[in-house]
Amino acid sequence: MTTYIDQTESYKGEAIKKLAVELLKNNTVDSLFIPFQNSYSGIPMPSLISDPEKTDGIEPIAPVAPFNSAKQAASVIKYATGKKTAFFLRPCEIRALVELVKLNQCTLEDAVIISYDCYGRVENKKYLELLSSNDQVNKDFYTDESLQNETTTTCKSCDAFTPLNADIAISFMGTDQSVFEGTSEKGSDVLSSLNSAIGGSLDLKSGGSIDQSIVEGIKEKRSKEKETLFSKTSETIKDVDSFQKMIGSCLNCYNCRTACPVCYCKECVFLTDIFLHDPDILHQRSIKKGVLKLPVDTTMFHMTRISHISHSCVGCGQCTSVCPSDIQVADMFRTVSEKTQEKLEYKAGQNIEQPIPFLAYKEEN
Amino acid sequence: MSEHKPKIVALVCNWCTYTAADLAGTSRRDYPSEIRLVRLMCTGMIDSKYILKAFLEGADGVFIGGCHPGDCHYIDGNLKAVKRIEAIGIMLEQFGFEKERLKLEWIGASEGPEFQENMQEFAKKIGDMGKVQTADRMIL
């Protein structure tokens, strides 16, 4: 295990940015997959950067995620190209990427995954609002607790905020510095070769320690939030009647499905003819119950999606963020998924070696 | 008030359980009329949406019948079904469906009497449980 510290910068984002730029400059990697503030979008968008001269817009830890970038990351490493890419991802994005690897959607052969302690994200709209009144919001977020309170419900109740399955983990909870740690062989090699290649601009020194009690404290607080949220949500979905009250205003836009990083089917069954009903069928269904709400199959859609992906749900909360009707989709997914995964003895995104439960069948009696 | 007659959907595999149903028929072993058989090529092709659709349309129970482990016409389709059905069961329970309403059973092609017994037993149990929560409810 190799750990290095960077003492030159008080803003952790700057230290990560320097690491990224040096990785590219020294040809340790061929490209970077990292949030990048271009001149058009107000929100840093995940971008694939290959020119070290064009790295100014890198915003590695802006407290916003336009979407869970695992799907986009997977599109870059769909198959091995020999182009080594450093992926700067949030812990929930890594979890989703791990699930996509297991679903044969991509390979990690050319990937170096770099992640960091996640303080959470604010909704896109909120971020733009904060940005309009404070152009230093990316930086201030990490020191100002009132800004941290603006994060999403999902983030506030997420207890898996430390990097898991990353090659390089960057810690800044429980330490004044940024501690870079090679958590896999690949990551350690990258860090040590980078360290010997450069002198000066990135002040990497061996050492660095993390006060685990601070990390544990945050974890405990978030776990408690999670418990409260889950028990509340269990009550909301306790039967079909209550569940339908929750999703009553759903307009079947399928945004939640599009935003979901692990809903990976190229052609979703809900867009096929199976759910394109003829007028005869609609009349028939209307006559059966007296009233048929349109569009139809809303309950069916949500329940099917839960049953299809609850074993892989990584709890990133993007489904709630994209809902135009303000339905707390993520709360219900996380609540159901936690129980499903617990009973199937599986944890989404945790162990890359463990096959997804539906493929791990044995002849048992 | 007339007594509630349950509706049961049975998703059965072509090679074993459906053949067993055929055998039961030719042996004049009748099974409860509450049960609607749907023949599928394999239990391994059962997607959760078939089960969900049945329950949301007001089915009181869903029975799934396949080949005994090792006997699958497609080698291991029935084993794939096991985990999926288990996962759907876990999910349905959280939405207030009693887990007894969904049952997976292996019935081989030669087991006509077993088919009849299973159907009678399941129909009785579902009948005793009363109406499913979706029975008279508007489903969005």
Side-chain angles (χ1 to χ4, degrees), chain A residues 240 244 289 307-308 361, chain B residues 47-48 76 133 137-138 140:
Chain A
V240 174
Q244 293 195 143
K289 291 266 164 100
S307 73
H308 277 179
Y361 49 87
Chain B
D47 189 88
S48 51
D76 55 7
Q133 54 164 326
R137 179 153 287 129
M138 176 179 175
L140 299 184

Side-chain angles (χ1 to χ4, degrees), chain A residues 69-347:
Chain A
S69 59
K71 250 187 198 170
Q72 297 311 317
S75 70
V76 175
I77 44 171
K78 195 169 163 192
Y79 49 82
T81 54
K83 289 230 182 310
K84 208 169 187 183
T85 307
F87 290 87
F88 290 75
L89 301 173
R90 286 170 189 275
C92 56
E93 293 172 330
I94 300 181
R95 293 200 293 278
L97 194 63
V98 165
E99 286 302 302
L100 290 174
V101 170
K102 292 189 201 182
L103 292 161
N104 295 327
Q105 299 303 299
C106 60
T107 160
L108 295 182
E109 211 169 293
D110 296 325
V112 180
I113 299 174
I114 300 166
S115 189
Y116 51 87
D117 292 339
C118 181
Y119 281 75
R121 63 177 174 92
V122 300
E123 300 289 8
N124 298 353
K125 222 185 230 171
K126 186 80 206 173
Y127 178 75
L128 292 172
E129 199 185 300
L130 293 171
L131 194 66
S132 67
S133 60
N134 174 10
D135 59 359
Q136 293 295 307
V137 66
N138 292 348
K139 199 170 169 177
D140 292 348
F141 176 80
Y142 289 89
T143 48
D144 185 345
E145 256 186 56
S146 67
L147 284 174
Q148 288 173 16
N149 279 334
E150 300 287 349
T151 54
T152 65
T153 320
T154 311
C155 293
K156 278 194 197 121
S157 57
C158 165
D159 58 3
F161 53 85
T162 50
L164 188 68
N165 288 317
D167 296 308
I168 299 171
I170 303 163
S171 310
F172 33 75
M173 279 178 185
T175 167
D176 295 335
Q177 299 123 352
S178 300
V179 180
F180 300 86
E181 184 186 329
T183 40
S184 74
E185 209 177 307
K186 203 196 274 177
S188 301
D189 286 352
V190 166
L191 272 185
S192 48
S193 69
L194 180 70
N195 200 37
S196 52
I198 54 168
S201 80
L202 186 70
D203 189 16
L204 286 180
K205 287 202 184 82
S206 287
S209 68
I210 303 154
D211 185 354
Q212 284 299 338
S213 67
I214 293 178
V215 182
E216 287 302 321
I218 299 171
K219 198 169 209 157
E220 203 174 305
K221 188 176 152 219
R222 294 216 198 163
S223 296
K224 222 173 258 169
E225 289 261 358
K226 186 169 104 172
E227 243 165 72
T228 323
L229 180 76
F230 282 13
S231 61
K232 203 179 98 199
T233 313
S234 293
E235 203 49 39
T236 318
I237 59 164
K238 69 175 191 298
D239 52 35
V240 174
D241 199 35
S242 326
F243 175 60
Q244 293 195 143
K245 278 182 192 137
M246 180 181 188
I247 57 158
S249 51
C250 173
L251 50 104
N252 288 31
C253 67
Y254 303 153
N255 273 0
C256 46
R257 191 212 54 202
T258 311
C260 180
V262 292
C263 232
Y264 73 98
C265 294
K266 285 201 178 69
E267 192 180 40
C268 175
V269 67
F270 283 93
L271 295 182
T272 63
D273 289 355
I274 298 174
F275 288 95
L276 260 184
H277 305 298
D278 284 340
D280 294 339
I281 301 286
L282 296 177
H283 284 297
Q284 196 185 322
R285 283 173 70 174
S286 164
I287 290 163
K288 189 179 166 195
K289 291 266 164 100
V291 182
L292 179 69
K293 192 238 33 161
L294 300 167
V296 296
D297 298 324
T298 307
T299 309
M300 181 74 188
F301 166 70
H302 286 288
M303 289 182 78
T304 303
R305 218 170 78 77
I306 293 175
S307 73
H308 277 179
I309 64 144
S310 61
H311 62 282
S312 284
C313 175
V314 296
C316 65
Q318 291 287 353
C319 39
T320 295
S321 297
V322 296
C323 182
S325 307
D326 283 331
I327 298 166
Q328 302 300 309
V329 191
D331 295 355
M332 120 192 139
F333 262 82
R334 290 174 71 210
T335 308
V336 176
S337 298
E338 169 137 309
K339 221 171 245 173
T340 309
Q341 292 177 15
E342 191 187 299
K343 290 203 175 167
L344 293 173
E345 292 173 355
Y346 183 81
K347 195 109 181 74

